[in-house]
Amino acid sequence: MTNIRFPRLRAILSLAAFVFLLSLYFTSLKQQQHGGNFGSRKRSVVIHPGDLKSSAHVSPTYNFSTAEVTGVALRFGRPDLPLKFSQPHARHNKRATSSLTYQSAICKGEKYYKLMGDTYAKADEDPKNNQGTEFSNKDIDNGWSRETVSWGDDLRQDWEGAFNLIAEETQAQPSADLRKIQLRQDTKFTSKTGNVVEADQASKAHYLCAYSPQSGLIIAQNTASPTNEIRYNHPGITSPDLQALLPPLNRLSDASFTLWRDLTGHNIQNARKLRYLGRSHISNPDTRYIMRAVFIGARRLKLVPWPGVKYTMRDEAGLALLGTPNGLAAAWLLIDHHGILGKRDLTVRVWTYNSVPVDTSGGESDDDDVDAINIDYYMLWDLGDPNAVATFRDPPRL
């Protein structure tokens, strides 16, 4: 009896173990398919988890709308699997697809943050290095036309939370004196190399920004730089030929700050009140890609409505955002205009206007969904209280 029962028991146990291992295999395979289900989608770029370092982890089901998180909100259940995030739809920017990786954005942000520190250090060593780079109204008139436009309800609605925060911090409501002005590079000018460029050869670049001198706010809403416009219209142009077509005033940071000085009466103390640089309706594919990597690294997180998430330059996510095309203007403001603005440090708050869950169930890319296509991305850079003495800190070693 015993000789018959135990072999049967062993067979039953072996079969049960086999079924259990088989179920684990199929469960793992299913998880892997869901974890990599973006692989068959169009317009996708791979980010490996090793490239996304985190200083703060949250649950994949964390609701960003109820709290503020400092650090990169990322958590990986399968560290061996690469993550794939769909790039912005072609409707956002038909000229280019994302070419910036999360790690390269961090390195670029670290480079420019360090350049800020080096600039401040040189200014401390020799007052002659504290002048910065300043332009005047003559530089605006050299190739740029100016138009005041109605700012309507778009900024009022999209920036309501930010306006309320700024009003609390500055005791001035931005909407009280907000002016939207567009600079367009469309008139005859003398280039950086001294060439006279006729209006029909101007780049047609534009900087549409809103200004609130009372609250110390500039919002860049729709921008296209002369450099990018020239390169787009003249593929393969050489650097000397590019310089021959560039007006001396060409960066967003310089153009907006020169206009800011004009709006503040060319009074240094008033100009020094500049504290916030906002980026509205971000369409640049590199910036959107990095922001999505920050927002949805956990795959199941929703995109982040106001108050969004806030980072310092001690956070790798903060440096990555600084390293984006839409983040560099904040660094250049402080690098080139430290003579007026003084020593400042940076924090950044990022959010979206619409909150749409990330699809992890397979099927078409969420970029093909009309709601996802219409998601608006925002940044608000805080340059620091102009009345406080900022202690500049070196970026973390990465």
Side-chain angles (χ1 to χ4, degrees):
M1 186 70 177
T2 302
N3 293 336
I4 296 175
R5 183 175 299 170
F6 281 104
R8 288 181 177 177
L9 181 59
R10 286 197 296 270
I12 292 172
L13 292 176
S14 298
L15 180 61
F18 174 77
V19 171
F20 176 74
L21 293 174
L22 192 64
S23 66
L24 286 179
Y25 170 78
F26 282 109
T27 300
S28 175
L29 181 62
K30 184 177 180 180
Q31 289 176 347
Q32 182 171 353
Q33 290 173 343
H34 281 295
N37 66 357
F38 294 102
S40 60
R41 300 179 179 183
K42 296 176 287 185
R43 300 183 301 279
S44 63
V45 172
V46 178
I47 294 180
H48 291 277
D51 293 338
L52 299 174
K53 300 178 182 179
S54 172
S55 59
H57 298 276
V58 296
S59 166
T61 58
Y62 188 88
N63 184 3
F64 279 98
S65 64
T66 60
E68 182 176 293
V69 178
T70 298
V72 186
L74 301 170
R75 183 172 180 173
F76 305 99
R78 290 289 304 277
D80 57 310
L81 295 178
L83 296 179
K84 293 189 178 183
F85 299 114
S86 299
Q87 291 185 25
H89 195 276
R91 281 175 54 182
H92 294 307
N93 190 330
K94 296 182 179 180
R95 300 183 180 182
T97 56
S98 178
S99 59
L100 187 68
T101 67
Y102 192 87
Q103 194 63 39
S104 62
I106 292 175
C107 293
K108 182 175 287 188
E110 182 185 24
K111 170 186 174 182
Y112 282 93
Y113 191 65
K114 186 177 184 301
L115 182 58
M116 285 170 52
D118 292 344
T119 301
Y120 298 156
K122 290 179 180 178
D124 288 340
E125 293 172 0
D126 187 348
K128 294 181 180 179
N129 296 324
N130 199 34
Q131 301 303 313
T133 303
E134 300 302 334
F135 294 89
S136 67
N137 285 357
K138 291 182 179 180
D139 295 295
I140 294 180
D141 296 336
N142 183 30
W144 296 88
S145 62
R146 182 191 314 195
E147 179 185 7
T148 300
V149 298
S150 172
W151 61 279
D153 293 330
D154 54 345
L155 286 177
R156 190 192 308 273
Q157 184 178 29
D158 299 358
W159 286 79
E160 180 181 6
F163 282 5
N164 292 336
L165 174 66
I166 292 171
E168 291 178 5
E169 295 180 341
T170 65
Q171 307 304 309
Q173 176 56 247
S175 59
D177 69 331
L178 198 71
R179 283 171 278 184
K180 186 187 285 189
I181 300 174
Q182 177 164 263
L183 294 177
R184 183 174 292 276
Q185 209 267 305
D186 58 0
T187 65
K188 183 178 179 179
F189 67 98
T190 302
S191 73
K192 294 180 67 175
T193 59
N195 294 336
V196 176
V197 182
E198 298 297 330
D200 60 350
Q201 295 296 315
S203 69
K204 306 302 186 290
H206 59 273
Y207 292 132
L208 177 61
C209 300
Y211 302 84
S212 171
Q214 290 184 8
S215 61
L217 169 68
I218 297 175
I219 299 175
Q221 186 174 13
N222 190 338
T223 63
S225 72
T227 299
N228 288 342
E229 292 300 301
I230 292 171
R231 284 176 174 166
Y232 175 70
N233 293 320
H234 303 277
I237 189 171
T238 63
S239 180
D241 290 339
L242 173 64
Q243 297 299 314
L245 292 175
L246 274 179
L249 182 66
N250 56 79
R251 282 193 187 133
L252 169 63
S253 55
D254 293 331
S256 60
F257 190 69
T258 302
L259 192 52
W260 173 264
R261 291 198 63 192
D262 185 45
L263 295 174
T264 54
H266 295 277
N267 181 293
I268 291 181
Q269 293 304 317
N270 290 338
R272 187 178 171 82
K273 292 179 181 179
L274 178 61
R275 176 169 176 178
Y276 305 97
L277 176 63
R279 302 306 302 261
S280 189
H281 299 84
I282 294 172
S283 62
N284 182 277
D286 284 339
T287 303
R288 290 173 65 94
Y289 180 72
I290 297 303
M291 291 180 72
R292 293 189 68 187
V294 170
F295 285 153
I296 62 175
R299 299 190 187 99
R300 296 183 180 90
L301 291 175
K302 291 184 177 182
L303 300 181
V304 187
W306 180 265
V309 284
K310 182 179 179 180
Y311 302 101
T312 72
M313 296 304 102
R314 304 299 294 176
D315 299 310
E316 292 181 355
L319 291 174
L321 293 166
L322 183 64
T324 63
N326 293 83
L328 288 177
W332 281 119
L333 259 178
L334 298 180
I335 292 170
D336 287 340
H337 305 288
H338 63 275
I340 292 177
L341 296 175
K343 285 187 179 181
R344 306 283 192 95
D345 205 349
L346 290 169
T347 60
V348 59
R349 189 184 295 268
V350 287
W351 72 97
T352 60
Y353 182 63
N354 295 320
S355 180
V356 179
V358 179
D359 179 16
T360 59
S361 61
E364 292 298 318
S365 166
D366 55 353
D367 275 335
D368 294 322
D369 183 88
V370 66
D371 292 330
I373 291 173
N374 291 330
I375 292 172
D376 290 324
Y377 291 72
Y378 302 86
M379 285 182 177
L380 180 62
W381 292 92
D382 188 339
L383 312 182
D385 186 348
N387 298 316
V389 179
T391 301
F392 185 83
R393 298 173 297 176
D394 290 333
R397 293 182 179 179
L398 305 179

